[in-house]
Amino acid sequence: MAKNNKDGEAKEKSTAIDLSTISEEDMKKALAFAPEDMAGPLLEESSFATLFPKYRENYLREVWPLVTKTLEKNGVSCKLDLVEGSMTVSTTRKTWDPYFILKARDMIKLLARSVPFPQAIKVLDDDTTCDIIKIGNLVQNKERFVKRRQRLLGPNGNTLKAIELLTECYVMIQGSTVAAMGRHKNLASVRRIVEDCMKNIHPIYHIKELMIRKELAKDPKLANESWDRFLPRFKKRNVKQKKPKAGKREKKHEVFPPAPTPSKIDLQLASGEYFLKPDEKRARDVERKKQLAVENGAKKDAERARAFVAPAEQAAKPKVTQGEDESEKIEALKQKFKAQAQVKDKKRSAGDGDISEYVADSALSKKKKKSKAL
């Protein structure tokens, strides 16, 4: 028995195939599905429907003949309902690829999310899949949502182009969804970039990481090693400041519980209103309303009367007559001229003294002039 088990294990080992040695083209040929491989028609009909916005109606009406032509090749029927605003795809008896209906479902979803038909038709290939990421519920504030969605586009759409080049995926941002097309592995990185952007992590950090990974993948020596030492580690800098804790108020421990708040009936009993008859209560309410009306009327009359109250007048300044003002000015001019005349007289009396100083000065000035001329 032991020998038989060993022989069986040896046979399993010998029949095992190393998939890494097989090329992609050979794998495609081996996994290809032809109409001859389908033994008979499908037992039940499968259908998928999706809604589209009204602004896509004109474009879908133009493109729909091409959609029906491509889907009929694989035996899948499609229907465009403009009244309900929906697209439907369903299998028929001619459908020979059971998985093709899922591809057709993805195609109409992409068409509904503003992806053009030449690009959406690529999802029908075996290598390509799609992922529609919903970002509307990730951010509550509308202004913040618009800003973070704009980060994915970048200035002139440069950030989006960089993401498409590095991930090798087609990315379409429309409304509250992001439609991506590409390989399954690359779509996971696109989803991570989009979700982190909505969580306030800029896409440039992921773009740097993807660029480094692309360069490291070229080196065959690092194929079986960890790349963590090469990848950048970004720290959050916008740390929220801790608010100072408010001092706890000490509760006063009372022996007896607080008195209950009086109810409406208790208040009526206290005022004696509870024992009044219905007619008396009505008369009392009417009187109360009249008093309130009189008080409110008096307040309104007082407010209206304020507009008619004259403002306080300022005390008038005593006016100076024109004749008095002119006489004062004339006297001031007389005094001014007298003072000027006195100053001139003093200077003349001082000049009548020694002239020798002036004569000497004039002689010295002449000598200086001669020396300058020489």
Side-chain angles (χ1 to χ4, degrees):
M1 291 293 287
K3 285 182 181 180
N4 291 334
N5 289 335
K6 285 178 181 178
D7 293 337
E9 287 175 5
K11 282 179 183 179
E12 285 177 4
K13 285 178 183 178
S14 62
T15 54
I17 300 166
D18 189 6
L19 297 174
S20 60
T21 57
I22 302 168
S23 63
E24 287 187 9
E25 293 179 0
D26 294 335
M27 285 283 285
K28 283 180 184 178
K29 287 177 183 178
L31 298 172
F33 195 82
E36 296 83 24
D37 298 332
M38 192 75 175
L42 296 170
L43 297 173
E44 291 187 9
E45 182 185 330
S46 300
S47 63
F48 295 98
T50 185
L51 299 172
F52 61 87
K54 198 169 185 179
Y55 63 84
R56 292 288 289 170
E57 187 177 323
N58 293 330
Y59 179 78
L60 290 171
R61 197 184 294 172
E62 293 172 5
V63 174
W64 201 251
L66 298 171
V67 176
T68 53
K69 194 175 179 181
T70 52
L71 294 178
E72 278 176 0
K73 290 177 184 177
N74 290 273
V76 174
S77 66
C78 58
K79 182 185 175 184
L80 178 67
D81 192 347
L82 297 174
V83 178
E84 291 183 0
S86 64
M87 294 179 283
T88 311
V89 289
S90 56
T91 56
T92 60
R93 292 184 67 80
K94 293 180 182 179
T95 306
W96 52 269
D97 188 356
Y99 190 72
F100 191 80
I101 187 67
L102 299 176
K103 293 280 186 182
R105 176 201 64 185
D106 293 341
M107 189 182 77
I108 61 171
K109 277 185 179 180
L110 291 169
L111 287 170
R113 296 317 309 152
S114 300
V115 177
F117 174 72
Q119 189 66 38
I121 201 173
K122 292 178 184 178
V123 82
L124 300 176
D125 299 337
D126 291 334
D127 297 338
T128 311
T129 54
C130 76
D131 188 11
I132 294 169
I133 306 156
K134 294 179 181 179
I135 57 173
N137 298 327
L138 297 176
V139 182
Q140 300 298 326
N141 192 353
K142 193 175 181 181
E143 291 179 4
R144 203 175 293 164
F145 167 74
V146 172
K147 283 181 182 178
R148 291 181 187 179
R149 187 181 61 183
Q150 188 62 32
R151 281 183 200 167
L152 284 171
L153 289 167
N156 301 322
N158 291 331
T159 307
L160 189 66
K161 287 175 189 174
I163 293 166
E164 287 180 343
L165 288 168
L166 291 168
T167 57
E168 297 176 358
C169 293
Y170 173 82
V171 183
M172 180 73 184
I173 301 165
Q174 181 66 31
S176 61
T177 57
V178 178
M181 286 175 61
R183 294 195 171 189
H184 184 74
K185 187 179 179 182
N186 297 338
L187 287 175
S189 59
V190 172
R191 178 174 273 274
R192 188 161 60 92
I193 291 166
V194 171
E195 287 180 351
D196 285 352
C197 183
M198 290 295 122
K199 293 174 184 174
N200 204 19
I201 298 169
H202 205 280
I204 195 67
Y205 299 126
H206 292 289
I207 289 167
K208 285 181 181 178
E209 188 181 333
L210 288 169
M211 288 171 73
I212 293 164
R213 284 181 182 277
K214 202 169 186 179
E215 291 296 322
L216 292 171
K218 294 176 183 177
D219 192 354
K221 293 178 183 178
L222 300 170
N224 299 321
E225 291 184 17
S226 178
W227 294 350
D228 292 340
R229 55 199 170 118
F230 302 109
L231 298 174
R233 294 175 184 175
F234 301 106
K235 293 181 180 179
K236 277 190 176 181
R237 291 184 181 179
N238 52 346
V239 182
K240 291 182 179 179
Q241 293 181 354
K242 290 183 179 179
K243 293 180 180 178
K245 292 182 180 179
K248 292 182 180 179
R249 294 179 180 178
E250 294 182 359
K251 293 181 180 179
K252 294 180 179 179
H253 296 285
E254 295 181 359
V255 179
F256 300 103
T261 53
S263 64
K264 192 177 180 181
I265 296 167
D266 292 337
L267 294 170
Q268 287 177 352
L269 287 166
S271 62
E273 190 180 350
Y274 185 78
F275 304 102
L276 294 173
K277 292 177 182 179
D279 297 335
E280 292 175 348
K281 283 183 182 179
R282 283 173 203 155
R284 198 170 182 180
D285 291 335
V286 169
E287 286 179 8
R288 202 177 292 162
K289 285 177 183 178
K290 283 180 181 178
Q291 286 178 359
L292 286 169
V294 170
E295 288 175 4
N296 291 331
K299 286 179 183 178
K300 286 179 181 178
D301 292 338
E303 286 177 3
R304 286 172 193 156
R306 280 177 199 168
F308 300 102
V309 175
E313 294 182 359
Q314 294 180 355
K317 293 180 180 179
K319 291 182 179 180
V320 181
T321 58
Q322 193 172 0
E324 291 176 1
D325 192 14
E326 286 179 358
S327 62
E328 285 178 3
K329 285 180 180 178
I330 290 164
E331 286 179 4
L333 284 169
K334 283 180 181 179
Q335 294 293 332
K336 188 178 178 182
F337 290 140
K338 281 181 182 178
Q340 287 176 357
Q342 287 175 3
V343 171
K344 284 179 182 178
D345 291 339
K346 284 180 182 179
K347 284 182 179 179
R348 283 174 189 170
S349 61
D352 292 339
D354 295 330
I355 306 169
S356 60
E357 293 176 1
Y358 297 101
V359 173
D361 290 338
S362 61
L364 287 168
S365 63
K366 284 178 182 179
K367 285 179 182 179
K368 284 178 183 179
K369 284 178 182 179
K370 284 179 182 180
S371 60
K372 282 180 182 178
L374 291 169

